[in-house]
Amino acid sequence: MGERILVVGGGIAGLWTALALARSGRELTVLERDPPPPETSADEAFENWERKGVGHLRHSHAFLARLHVLIRDNYPDLMEELLAAGCRELKFADGLPVSLQDIYEPVPGDKDMTILTSRRTTLEFIMRRYAARQQGIRFETGALVRDVLTDKDENGVLRVTGLTVEQNGATTDRTADIVVDAAGKNSQIIDWLNKAGAGIAEETERAGILYFTRHYRLHDPKNEPARTKVPGAGDLGFIKYGLFPADNGCFSITLAVPEIEMEMRRAIVRPENFDAICAMLPGIATWTSTDASEPVSRVFGMGELISRWRHMTKDGNPRVLNFFPIGDSVIRTNPLYGRGCSFAGVAAEALCETLDRSEDPRERARFYHARLAKDLRQHYDDMVKQDLAAIKRAKNALNPDYKPGVKARLFKSFAEDALLPAVRGDVDLMRSFMRSFHMVDPPNTWARNPRNISKVLVTWARGRKRNADLYPPKLGPGREEMFASLGISAEADRERAKSA
């Protein structure tokens, strides 16, 4: 418990790490490059908090059920503060299709299927203020990590001994028994370790999309637009959309565009085009109409999205000791699935367990990374697989000569005519499906239940006509119609893809 611990980064990953380690009685210092949060309100945090180290700070965020359970069970006083600040709990029943809400009967496990949602700045603002009051946690702001200090153990394995930190114009070496890298996707520490001979390998895949987010505030927060049969999230192929209710009468809309759709990418950053797109999507149009709300931000863009898994061991042997990357520093995923914060929370709990069970640096490294693989690898692989399939579909959609084969047509029919209507028409199947999505169960656990598969196949066999009531209404216009409405070319990207 007397170990000197340095945590690099005071974002969500760093905060979860600090809270988990302090809960077990440890003391630690969080080194944060950006200034501290404002002291007044969530609105001021959104407007004025400078967080250059967090490029996605003002994009849509939500804590999935796995993370909500972690807060509820381990930090009930933090949960009270989050809710008091306006953060919202969206329960399992809130996400059911309108057609299922009248027949829904709760079961005990449904309480573990709650989302916590708000602006990311509000989540971090409240968590940071809460963490700063906890015994054993000390924050240092304006602290820029410039290098990592290392030596080698008796077996020649690289060992982290501290960090070189620039603060207030002075550069010093800070020794530590444990260094936690929670600095996010732009952290350089693993690059520095590899230059020192660590040999840390990584695998990457492009997510294939770009994100665009705009924030709005309701004129009357107590009178939200009524939910309809058209969902607040959907996929039109050439654009994905999602509505994120937030705190204090605010909400955000995120539109995701395939990388290959260059014309839409250029157009969507203009606020008038962003709002025009929202007006064409029935699931969110009532929210963004001038009668219901007003925009309170510009359009924020985010690109260069990749999935990345860094391998900190090889054949079970650690590549570096006394060093624990967490969050995007070690596992980075497509934000489309909303699992980045949950991955960080799970990893923080794994790190706490790691340090409690052993004092041997090698055993610690082995156990920590084995836990990450056990708890998170299936989810990671599932997301990458879905991203690669989406990239392929986006390319095919721009190819006028593309003709899907038998396998592709079968897969499309299964997704659209079996799985989707089956889930929309059965509460138990929806529950099982969403437990996997929210990381309460491992990925695709629902598909290993013969009863669930039987329901899906029976739905498929009934055919479109008899399942007509189980399909969602039209989610929005087709590509040609939307592009024409925005005054952009629907052919330019087809020609570009053809020549490529």
Side-chain angles (χ1 to χ4, degrees), residues 396-438:
N396 291 337
L398 290 182
N399 180 5
D401 299 324
Y402 170 71
K403 290 185 173 63
V406 174
K407 182 178 179 181
R409 293 198 304 270
L410 191 65
F411 181 83
K412 184 174 185 292
S413 177
F414 179 78
E416 296 180 358
D417 301 323
L419 182 58
L420 177 62
V423 169
R424 287 180 58 84
D426 188 291
V427 173
D428 291 334
L429 189 56
M430 172 74 80
R431 178 182 290 116
S432 184
F433 185 84
M434 295 306 295
R435 285 181 65 86
S436 290
F437 178 83
H438 282 287

Short mmCIF file of all heavy atoms in Angstrom, two decimals, residues 396-438:
data_model
loop_
_atom_site.label_atom_id
_atom_site.label_comp_id
_atom_site.label_asym_id
_atom_site.label_seq_id
_atom_site.Cartn_x
_atom_site.Cartn_y
_atom_site.Cartn_z
N ASN A 396 -19.54 -1.27 -51.49
CA ASN A 396 -20.45 -1.91 -52.45
C ASN A 396 -21.60 -0.99 -52.85
O ASN A 396 -22.06 -1.01 -53.99
CB ASN A 396 -21.00 -3.21 -51.86
CG ASN A 396 -19.95 -4.29 -51.72
OD1 ASN A 396 -18.93 -4.26 -52.42
ND2 ASN A 396 -20.19 -5.25 -50.84
N ALA A 397 -22.04 -0.17 -51.88
CA ALA A 397 -23.16 0.73 -52.16
C ALA A 397 -22.81 1.78 -53.22
O ALA A 397 -23.70 2.28 -53.91
CB ALA A 397 -23.61 1.42 -50.88
N LEU A 398 -21.54 2.09 -53.37
CA LEU A 398 -21.11 3.08 -54.36
C LEU A 398 -20.74 2.45 -55.69
O LEU A 398 -20.36 3.16 -56.63
CB LEU A 398 -19.92 3.87 -53.82
CG LEU A 398 -20.21 4.83 -52.66
CD1 LEU A 398 -18.96 5.58 -52.26
CD2 LEU A 398 -21.32 5.81 -53.01
N ASN A 399 -20.83 1.14 -55.76
CA ASN A 399 -20.48 0.44 -57.00
C ASN A 399 -21.75 0.04 -57.74
O ASN A 399 -22.45 -0.89 -57.34
CB ASN A 399 -19.64 -0.80 -56.67
CG ASN A 399 -19.25 -1.59 -57.90
OD1 ASN A 399 -19.52 -1.17 -59.03
ND2 ASN A 399 -18.61 -2.73 -57.69
N PRO A 400 -22.09 0.72 -58.84
CA PRO A 400 -23.34 0.41 -59.55
C PRO A 400 -23.33 -0.98 -60.18
O PRO A 400 -24.40 -1.51 -60.49
CB PRO A 400 -23.40 1.51 -60.63
CG PRO A 400 -22.00 1.95 -60.82
CD PRO A 400 -21.34 1.82 -59.48
N ASP A 401 -22.15 -1.57 -60.34
CA ASP A 401 -22.06 -2.89 -60.94
C ASP A 401 -22.07 -4.02 -59.91
O ASP A 401 -22.01 -5.20 -60.28
CB ASP A 401 -20.78 -3.01 -61.78
CG ASP A 401 -20.75 -2.00 -62.91
OD1 ASP A 401 -21.83 -1.74 -63.47
OD2 ASP A 401 -19.66 -1.46 -63.20
N TYR A 402 -22.13 -3.64 -58.63
CA TYR A 402 -22.07 -4.68 -57.58
C TYR A 402 -23.36 -5.49 -57.56
O TYR A 402 -24.46 -4.94 -57.53
CB TYR A 402 -21.84 -4.05 -56.21
CG TYR A 402 -21.99 -5.01 -55.07
CD1 TYR A 402 -21.05 -6.02 -54.84
CD2 TYR A 402 -23.10 -4.94 -54.22
CE1 TYR A 402 -21.20 -6.92 -53.81
CE2 TYR A 402 -23.25 -5.84 -53.17
CZ TYR A 402 -22.30 -6.83 -52.97
OH TYR A 402 -22.45 -7.73 -51.94
N LYS A 403 -23.20 -6.79 -57.56
CA LYS A 403 -24.33 -7.71 -57.41
C LYS A 403 -24.00 -8.66 -56.27
O LYS A 403 -23.05 -9.43 -56.37
CB LYS A 403 -24.57 -8.49 -58.70
CG LYS A 403 -25.11 -7.65 -59.85
CD LYS A 403 -25.43 -8.53 -61.06
CE LYS A 403 -26.13 -7.75 -62.15
NZ LYS A 403 -25.34 -6.69 -62.71
N PRO A 404 -24.76 -8.59 -55.18
CA PRO A 404 -24.46 -9.45 -54.03
C PRO A 404 -24.62 -10.92 -54.38
O PRO A 404 -25.54 -11.31 -55.12
CB PRO A 404 -25.47 -9.02 -52.98
CG PRO A 404 -26.58 -8.39 -53.75
CD PRO A 404 -25.96 -7.77 -54.95
N GLY A 405 -23.72 -11.74 -53.84
CA GLY A 405 -23.81 -13.17 -54.04
C GLY A 405 -24.86 -13.79 -53.13
O GLY A 405 -25.52 -13.11 -52.34
N VAL A 406 -25.00 -15.10 -53.25
CA VAL A 406 -26.00 -15.82 -52.45
C VAL A 406 -25.73 -15.63 -50.96
O VAL A 406 -26.66 -15.38 -50.17
CB VAL A 406 -26.02 -17.32 -52.82
CG1 VAL A 406 -26.96 -18.08 -51.88
CG2 VAL A 406 -26.43 -17.51 -54.27
N LYS A 407 -24.48 -15.73 -50.55
CA LYS A 407 -24.14 -15.61 -49.13
C LYS A 407 -24.48 -14.22 -48.61
O LYS A 407 -25.04 -14.08 -47.52
CB LYS A 407 -22.65 -15.90 -48.93
CG LYS A 407 -22.21 -15.86 -47.49
CD LYS A 407 -20.73 -16.20 -47.36
CE LYS A 407 -20.27 -16.14 -45.91
NZ LYS A 407 -18.82 -16.46 -45.78
N ALA A 408 -24.16 -13.19 -49.39
CA ALA A 408 -24.44 -11.82 -48.97
C ALA A 408 -25.94 -11.58 -48.86
O ALA A 408 -26.42 -10.93 -47.93
CB ALA A 408 -23.81 -10.83 -49.94
N ARG A 409 -26.70 -12.10 -49.83
CA ARG A 409 -28.16 -11.92 -49.79
C ARG A 409 -28.77 -12.65 -48.60
O ARG A 409 -29.70 -12.15 -47.96
CB ARG A 409 -28.78 -12.42 -51.09
CG ARG A 409 -28.41 -11.60 -52.32
CD ARG A 409 -29.38 -11.84 -53.48
NE ARG A 409 -29.46 -13.25 -53.84
CZ ARG A 409 -28.67 -13.84 -54.74
NH1 ARG A 409 -27.72 -13.12 -55.34
NH2 ARG A 409 -28.82 -15.12 -55.03
N LEU A 410 -28.24 -13.82 -48.31
CA LEU A 410 -28.74 -14.61 -47.18
C LEU A 410 -28.46 -13.89 -45.86
O LEU A 410 -29.33 -13.80 -44.98
CB LEU A 410 -28.10 -15.99 -47.18
CG LEU A 410 -28.68 -17.03 -46.23
CD1 LEU A 410 -30.12 -17.38 -46.61
CD2 LEU A 410 -27.82 -18.29 -46.21
N PHE A 411 -27.26 -13.36 -45.75
CA PHE A 411 -26.88 -12.65 -44.52
C PHE A 411 -27.76 -11.41 -44.34
O PHE A 411 -28.22 -11.11 -43.24
CB PHE A 411 -25.41 -12.26 -44.57
CG PHE A 411 -24.92 -11.55 -43.34
CD1 PHE A 411 -24.54 -12.26 -42.21
CD2 PHE A 411 -24.86 -10.16 -43.30
CE1 PHE A 411 -24.10 -11.60 -41.07
CE2 PHE A 411 -24.43 -9.50 -42.17
CZ PHE A 411 -24.05 -10.22 -41.05
N LYS A 412 -27.97 -10.67 -45.43
CA LYS A 412 -28.80 -9.46 -45.36
C LYS A 412 -30.23 -9.82 -44.96
O LYS A 412 -30.85 -9.14 -44.13
CB LYS A 412 -28.79 -8.76 -46.72
CG LYS A 412 -29.53 -7.42 -46.77
CD LYS A 412 -29.31 -6.76 -48.12
CE LYS A 412 -29.92 -5.37 -48.17
NZ LYS A 412 -31.38 -5.39 -48.12
N SER A 413 -30.76 -10.89 -45.53
CA SER A 413 -32.11 -11.30 -45.19
C SER A 413 -32.20 -11.73 -43.73
O SER A 413 -33.18 -11.41 -43.04
CB SER A 413 -32.55 -12.44 -46.11
OG SER A 413 -33.84 -12.89 -45.74
N PHE A 414 -31.19 -12.43 -43.25
CA PHE A 414 -31.21 -12.86 -41.85
C PHE A 414 -31.23 -11.66 -40.92
O PHE A 414 -31.98 -11.62 -39.94
CB PHE A 414 -30.00 -13.74 -41.55
CG PHE A 414 -29.93 -14.20 -40.12
CD1 PHE A 414 -30.71 -15.24 -39.66
CD2 PHE A 414 -29.10 -13.54 -39.21
CE1 PHE A 414 -30.67 -15.64 -38.33
CE2 PHE A 414 -29.04 -13.94 -37.88
CZ PHE A 414 -29.82 -15.00 -37.44
N ALA A 415 -30.38 -10.66 -41.23
CA ALA A 415 -30.31 -9.47 -40.37
C ALA A 415 -31.60 -8.67 -40.41
O ALA A 415 -32.13 -8.25 -39.37
CB ALA A 415 -29.12 -8.60 -40.78
N GLU A 416 -32.14 -8.46 -41.62
CA GLU A 416 -33.27 -7.56 -41.77
C GLU A 416 -34.62 -8.23 -41.60
O GLU A 416 -35.59 -7.59 -41.16
CB GLU A 416 -33.22 -6.90 -43.16
CG GLU A 416 -32.00 -6.00 -43.35
CD GLU A 416 -31.96 -5.38 -44.72
OE1 GLU A 416 -32.87 -5.67 -45.54
OE2 GLU A 416 -31.03 -4.59 -44.99
N ASP A 417 -34.71 -9.52 -41.96
CA ASP A 417 -36.02 -10.19 -41.97
C ASP A 417 -36.17 -11.24 -40.87
O ASP A 417 -37.26 -11.80 -40.72
CB ASP A 417 -36.26 -10.85 -43.33
CG ASP A 417 -36.21 -9.85 -44.46
OD1 ASP A 417 -36.68 -8.72 -44.27
OD2 ASP A 417 -35.68 -10.19 -45.54
N ALA A 418 -35.09 -11.52 -40.15
CA ALA A 418 -35.17 -12.50 -39.07
C ALA A 418 -34.80 -11.85 -37.74
O ALA A 418 -35.63 -11.72 -36.84
CB ALA A 418 -34.25 -13.69 -39.37
N LEU A 419 -33.55 -11.41 -37.62
CA LEU A 419 -33.07 -10.91 -36.34
C LEU A 419 -33.79 -9.63 -35.91
O LEU A 419 -34.30 -9.54 -34.78
CB LEU A 419 -31.56 -10.68 -36.42
CG LEU A 419 -30.89 -10.19 -35.15
CD1 LEU A 419 -31.12 -11.16 -34.00
CD2 LEU A 419 -29.40 -9.98 -35.38
N LEU A 420 -33.82 -8.63 -36.79
CA LEU A 420 -34.40 -7.34 -36.41
C LEU A 420 -35.87 -7.46 -36.01
O LEU A 420 -36.26 -7.03 -34.92
CB LEU A 420 -34.23 -6.33 -37.55
CG LEU A 420 -34.87 -4.95 -37.32
CD1 LEU A 420 -34.22 -4.28 -36.11
CD2 LEU A 420 -34.71 -4.08 -38.56
N PRO A 421 -36.72 -8.06 -36.83
CA PRO A 421 -38.13 -8.16 -36.41
C PRO A 421 -38.32 -9.06 -35.20
O PRO A 421 -39.21 -8.81 -34.37
CB PRO A 421 -38.84 -8.71 -37.64
CG PRO A 421 -37.78 -9.29 -38.50
CD PRO A 421 -36.53 -8.53 -38.22
N ALA A 422 -37.50 -10.11 -35.06
CA ALA A 422 -37.64 -11.00 -33.89
C ALA A 422 -37.34 -10.25 -32.61
O ALA A 422 -38.08 -10.37 -31.61
CB ALA A 422 -36.72 -12.20 -34.05
N VAL A 423 -36.27 -9.46 -32.61
CA VAL A 423 -35.90 -8.70 -31.41
C VAL A 423 -36.95 -7.64 -31.10
O VAL A 423 -37.32 -7.42 -29.94
CB VAL A 423 -34.51 -8.07 -31.59
CG1 VAL A 423 -34.22 -7.07 -30.48
CG2 VAL A 423 -33.43 -9.15 -31.61
N ARG A 424 -37.48 -7.00 -32.13
CA ARG A 424 -38.47 -5.95 -31.93
C ARG A 424 -39.81 -6.50 -31.46
O ARG A 424 -40.65 -5.76 -30.95
CB ARG A 424 -38.67 -5.15 -33.22
CG ARG A 424 -37.51 -4.23 -33.56
CD ARG A 424 -37.79 -3.50 -34.87
NE ARG A 424 -39.01 -2.72 -34.81
CZ ARG A 424 -39.11 -1.48 -34.30
NH1 ARG A 424 -38.04 -0.91 -33.80
NH2 ARG A 424 -40.26 -0.85 -34.29
N GLY A 425 -40.01 -7.81 -31.63
CA GLY A 425 -41.31 -8.37 -31.29
C GLY A 425 -41.34 -9.23 -30.05
O GLY A 425 -42.38 -9.80 -29.72
N ASP A 426 -40.20 -9.31 -29.32
CA ASP A 426 -40.14 -10.21 -28.16
C ASP A 426 -39.30 -9.56 -27.07
O ASP A 426 -38.10 -9.34 -27.25
CB ASP A 426 -39.53 -11.55 -28.59
CG ASP A 426 -39.61 -12.61 -27.50
OD1 ASP A 426 -38.89 -12.45 -26.50
OD2 ASP A 426 -40.35 -13.59 -27.68
N VAL A 427 -39.90 -9.27 -25.92
CA VAL A 427 -39.20 -8.60 -24.83
C VAL A 427 -38.04 -9.44 -24.32
O VAL A 427 -36.93 -8.93 -24.07
CB VAL A 427 -40.16 -8.27 -23.67
CG1 VAL A 427 -39.39 -7.71 -22.48
CG2 VAL A 427 -41.22 -7.28 -24.12
N ASP A 428 -38.24 -10.75 -24.15
CA ASP A 428 -37.18 -11.60 -23.63
C ASP A 428 -35.98 -11.66 -24.58
O ASP A 428 -34.83 -11.65 -24.15
CB ASP A 428 -37.70 -13.02 -23.38
CG ASP A 428 -38.68 -13.08 -22.22
OD1 ASP A 428 -38.59 -12.20 -21.33
OD2 ASP A 428 -39.53 -13.99 -22.20
N LEU A 429 -36.26 -11.70 -25.87
CA LEU A 429 -35.18 -11.72 -26.85
C LEU A 429 -34.46 -10.38 -26.87
O LEU A 429 -33.22 -10.33 -26.94
CB LEU A 429 -35.74 -12.04 -28.23
CG LEU A 429 -34.73 -12.32 -29.34
CD1 LEU A 429 -33.79 -13.45 -28.96
CD2 LEU A 429 -35.46 -12.65 -30.64
N MET A 430 -35.21 -9.29 -26.80
CA MET A 430 -34.60 -7.97 -26.72
C MET A 430 -33.71 -7.86 -25.48
O MET A 430 -32.58 -7.35 -25.53
CB MET A 430 -35.68 -6.89 -26.68
CG MET A 430 -35.18 -5.48 -26.39
SD MET A 430 -34.33 -4.73 -27.77
CE MET A 430 -35.73 -4.18 -28.77
N ARG A 431 -34.19 -8.36 -24.36
CA ARG A 431 -33.44 -8.32 -23.11
C ARG A 431 -32.12 -9.08 -23.25
O ARG A 431 -31.04 -8.59 -22.87
CB ARG A 431 -34.28 -8.91 -21.98
CG ARG A 431 -33.57 -8.96 -20.63
CD ARG A 431 -34.46 -9.61 -19.60
NE ARG A 431 -35.60 -8.77 -19.24
CZ ARG A 431 -36.87 -9.10 -19.47
NH1 ARG A 431 -37.17 -10.24 -20.09
NH2 ARG A 431 -37.85 -8.29 -19.11
N SER A 432 -32.18 -10.28 -23.80
CA SER A 432 -30.99 -11.10 -23.97
C SER A 432 -29.99 -10.44 -24.92
O SER A 432 -28.79 -10.43 -24.68
CB SER A 432 -31.39 -12.48 -24.50
OG SER A 432 -30.27 -13.34 -24.60
N PHE A 433 -30.50 -9.86 -25.99
CA PHE A 433 -29.65 -9.18 -26.98
C PHE A 433 -28.96 -7.97 -26.36
O PHE A 433 -27.74 -7.77 -26.54
CB PHE A 433 -30.52 -8.74 -28.16
CG PHE A 433 -29.76 -8.15 -29.30
CD1 PHE A 433 -29.18 -8.95 -30.26
CD2 PHE A 433 -29.63 -6.77 -29.43
CE1 PHE A 433 -28.47 -8.40 -31.33
CE2 PHE A 433 -28.94 -6.20 -30.48
CZ PHE A 433 -28.35 -7.03 -31.43
N MET A 434 -29.69 -7.17 -25.59
CA MET A 434 -29.14 -5.94 -25.02
C MET A 434 -28.17 -6.22 -23.88
O MET A 434 -27.27 -5.42 -23.62
CB MET A 434 -30.26 -5.03 -24.56
CG MET A 434 -31.14 -4.50 -25.69
SD MET A 434 -30.20 -3.67 -27.01
CE MET A 434 -29.56 -2.25 -26.12
N ARG A 435 -28.32 -7.33 -23.19
CA ARG A 435 -27.36 -7.67 -22.13
C ARG A 435 -25.96 -7.85 -22.71
O ARG A 435 -24.97 -7.49 -22.08
CB ARG A 435 -27.81 -8.93 -21.39
CG ARG A 435 -28.97 -8.70 -20.42
CD ARG A 435 -29.33 -9.99 -19.69
NE ARG A 435 -28.26 -10.44 -18.82
CZ ARG A 435 -28.08 -10.02 -17.56
NH1 ARG A 435 -28.92 -9.14 -17.04
NH2 ARG A 435 -27.09 -10.48 -16.83
N SER A 436 -25.88 -8.41 -23.90
CA SER A 436 -24.57 -8.54 -24.55
C SER A 436 -24.06 -7.18 -25.01
O SER A 436 -22.88 -6.86 -24.84
CB SER A 436 -24.66 -9.49 -25.74
OG SER A 436 -24.86 -10.82 -25.32
N PHE A 437 -24.94 -6.38 -25.60
CA PHE A 437 -24.52 -5.06 -26.07
C PHE A 437 -23.96 -4.22 -24.93
O PHE A 437 -22.97 -3.51 -25.10
CB PHE A 437 -25.69 -4.33 -26.72
CG PHE A 437 -25.35 -2.94 -27.19
CD1 PHE A 437 -24.73 -2.75 -28.41
CD2 PHE A 437 -25.63 -1.83 -26.39
CE1 PHE A 437 -24.39 -1.46 -28.83
CE2 PHE A 437 -25.29 -0.56 -26.81
CZ PHE A 437 -24.67 -0.37 -28.04
N HIS A 438 -24.58 -4.30 -23.76
CA HIS A 438 -24.17 -3.48 -22.63
C HIS A 438 -23.04 -4.11 -21.81
O HIS A 438 -22.73 -3.62 -20.72
CB HIS A 438 -25.37 -3.21 -21.72
CG HIS A 438 -26.27 -2.14 -22.25
ND1 HIS A 438 -25.94 -0.81 -22.26
CD2 HIS A 438 -27.50 -2.20 -22.83
CE1 HIS A 438 -26.92 -0.10 -22.78
NE2 HIS A 438 -27.88 -0.93 -23.15
#
